[in-house]
Amino acid sequence: MLSLLLIPLLLVPLATHTLWQGLCSPLRKIPGPWYAKFTSLVLKWHEFKANRTRYIHDLHLKFGPSVRIAPDEVAFASAAAVKEIYCSGGSGYDKTEFYDLFKVYNRRTMFTTLNKDDRKRILADRYANTNVVRSQSLDGIAERAANFVKKCFQSVGGNLDLYICVPPPSYLHSYAFDCITHHLFHPHGANSLELPRDEEIMREVTFDDSLQTAECLDHMAAGIDTTGDALCFLMWELSQPRSLPYQRKLQQELLSHSNSNNPTAVGFDKFPYLDAVVTEGLRCFPAIPMSLPRRVPEGGRVVDGWFVPGSDGNDSLALAEMKMLLQAVYSRFTTLPDATMRPEDMEMSDQLISSRPAGQRCLLRFVPLEVGDGV
């Protein structure tokens, strides 16, 4: 009987806290569905169904760039908010415990470090734009893009599966793997596009549970799946009949600054339309199919015009890889979808750290451009 009497006593503070969060919290004025003021169960349900990003996207379409998605969580979708939260030079927006899911061998790596410690600052320097654009790094990426183009030429008259994860190898993922290992370990980077033994490197290092190996795995995984999958979806979209005008415009820009002996002689950063294609591709097919939550610094901050109370308690390289590969491919080929492909094969299927094609294949045909094609 006593335990039954205690139940209301326990529910009263819980209900009071819930009502306070919903009606008195500093977040109460931020737009969002009414139930988000009181519970996170709806958000968790969509997370369980691997539908979080689509759910939040729909909320942004309905409520605008700032949306309260849970009693203590707000989603922002504006350039100003992204700059404030992710690009403010270590202003206190530390990562949440969500990143514990990605610890390797139960060790923290650069990605899972919750605050900007010394190790993170040292390793992050490897991805500074000044390091990425060095000739040593770019020459290695260009060499691996050329290796990919060889595979395209070998497929002429047939098709090439850009995604497949079993033999034959996944060419886009091998390209991304070769690029990241070259950047991190030059002159000992992998060449998995041409050397079968290099396909085993990732498996070999998984037997070593040292911090150094954990860090290497973290960097390589981040640089392989995300870049490879983003390129896969972007090249698929460019190959669709509806996107042929955009592919032609891209080819025109690339060929107008090249010569027949070396179509990629001009640097990838000299093409504004190529930059626009990659940017739009990342918008439509985001490399990371999840939110990247941060804690608001103590004292609170104003984000996108809204006050948010404080909490208790590698892009340049990837862009270079994507642009240089697209430059190498579309200055030499027109890509078309293989007749056996179905639209549902390329539906985005969200995984833990990346999105993959639902059909786990991406068959394209590579048609060489002839001199005087007039694209």
Side-chain angles (χ1 to χ4, degrees):
M1 178 63 71
L2 182 61
S3 60
L4 291 177
L5 293 175
L6 288 175
I7 292 178
L9 295 178
L10 295 174
L11 290 177
V12 168
L14 177 62
T16 302
H17 176 71
T18 300
L19 287 173
W20 182 89
Q21 277 192 317
L23 302 177
C24 302
S25 166
L27 303 178
R28 66 187 182 277
K29 295 182 179 180
I30 298 178
W34 66 268
Y35 48 80
K37 297 179 180 180
F38 305 103
T39 180
S40 62
L41 289 178
V42 176
L43 179 64
K44 287 182 169 59
W45 169 252
H46 284 284
E47 290 173 344
F48 179 75
K49 300 289 287 184
N51 191 48
R52 176 187 170 101
T53 53
R54 292 181 177 86
Y55 167 66
I56 294 176
H57 176 67
D58 289 339
L59 291 180
H60 281 303
L61 292 177
K62 182 176 181 180
F63 294 102
S66 305
V67 181
R68 188 180 186 182
I69 60 176
D72 59 352
E73 189 170 355
V74 180
F76 294 98
S78 69
V82 170
K83 184 176 181 180
E84 165 66 20
I85 297 169
Y86 297 107
C87 308
S88 50
S91 58
Y93 289 89
D94 289 337
K95 296 176 179 178
T96 71
E97 290 77 9
F98 167 79
Y99 292 85
D100 289 346
L101 292 170
F102 304 97
K103 288 194 290 187
V104 183
Y105 305 133
N106 204 34
R107 297 174 183 268
R108 290 200 182 279
T109 59
M110 190 175 90
F111 181 67
T112 57
T113 298
L114 300 186
N115 50 36
K116 293 181 176 291
D117 65 1
D118 292 337
R119 177 161 55 91
K120 184 172 182 179
R121 280 192 290 268
I122 293 171
L123 292 170
D125 183 63
R126 292 291 295 166
Y127 299 101
N129 197 52
T130 52
N131 278 328
V132 171
V133 299
R134 291 169 56 194
S135 59
Q136 174 182 295
S137 181
L138 294 183
D139 289 347
I141 296 174
E143 179 183 344
R144 283 145 183 82
N147 291 340
F148 183 89
V149 167
K150 291 179 186 177
K151 303 298 181 183
C152 299
F153 274 115
Q154 292 169 6
S155 74
V156 171
N159 59 51
L160 192 66
D161 193 337
L162 302 185
Y163 183 80
I164 191 168
C165 288
V166 295
S170 171
Y171 294 118
L172 286 177
H173 290 78
S174 292
Y175 165 75
F177 175 55
D178 293 349
C179 287
I180 187 64
T181 55
H182 168 80
H183 183 72
L184 292 174
F185 310 126
H186 179 75
H188 304 294
N191 186 12
S192 60
L193 276 168
E194 295 194 318
L195 301 178
R197 68 174 184 269
D198 282 358
E199 295 178 46
E200 303 299 321
I201 291 178
M202 289 279 285
R203 280 175 248 174
E204 291 173 3
V205 298
T206 57
F207 291 103
D208 184 347
D209 63 355
S210 67
L211 175 60
Q212 290 82 2
T213 300
E215 194 70 63
C216 290
L217 281 172
D218 189 51
H219 287 246
M220 287 190 290
I224 298 168
D225 284 344
T226 53
T227 303
D229 292 340
L231 278 169
C232 182
F233 284 110
L234 176 53
M235 292 179 69
W236 169 258
E237 178 57 38
L238 281 173
S239 303
Q240 300 307 298
R242 62 178 175 270
S243 297
L244 191 58
Y246 307 115
Q247 185 179 159
R248 291 288 185 241
K249 187 173 181 179
L250 174 61
Q251 291 167 331
Q252 289 171 356
E253 179 183 69
L254 296 175
L255 294 175
S256 67
H257 293 83
S258 68
N259 60 70
S260 57
N261 294 324
N262 188 4
T264 57
V266 179
F268 69 90
D269 56 341
K270 305 300 182 183
F271 301 104
Y273 195 74
L274 172 62
D275 182 73
V277 167
V278 171
T279 302
E280 182 67 3
L282 291 172
R283 185 188 72 83
C284 295
F285 313 107
I288 304 290
M290 60 185 179
S291 302
L292 299 173
R294 297 295 179 95
R295 290 192 182 282
V296 180
E298 185 176 351
R301 292 290 175 85
V302 176
V303 182
D304 209 15
W306 298 99
F307 176 75
V308 183
S311 304
D312 299 325
N314 33 19
D315 293 338
S316 296
L317 178 63
L319 289 174
E321 293 174 16
M322 293 180 70
K323 291 178 181 179
M324 293 183 76
L325 184 76
L326 294 174
Q327 180 185 6
V329 170
Y330 288 104
S331 59
R332 296 176 173 90
F333 298 96
T334 291
T335 59
L336 301 170
D338 189 74
T340 63
M341 289 292 292
R342 303 168 301 170
E344 53 266 32
D345 289 333
M346 290 301 296
E347 289 289 330
M348 296 183 73
S349 176
D350 288 354
Q351 305 301 301
L352 185 61
I353 62 170
S354 63
S355 294
R356 69 184 184 192
Q360 297 191 51
R361 62 178 192 150
C362 179
L363 295 171
L364 296 183
R365 293 189 294 115
F366 290 78
V367 181
L369 293 174
E370 300 294 339
V371 176
D373 267 356
V375 297

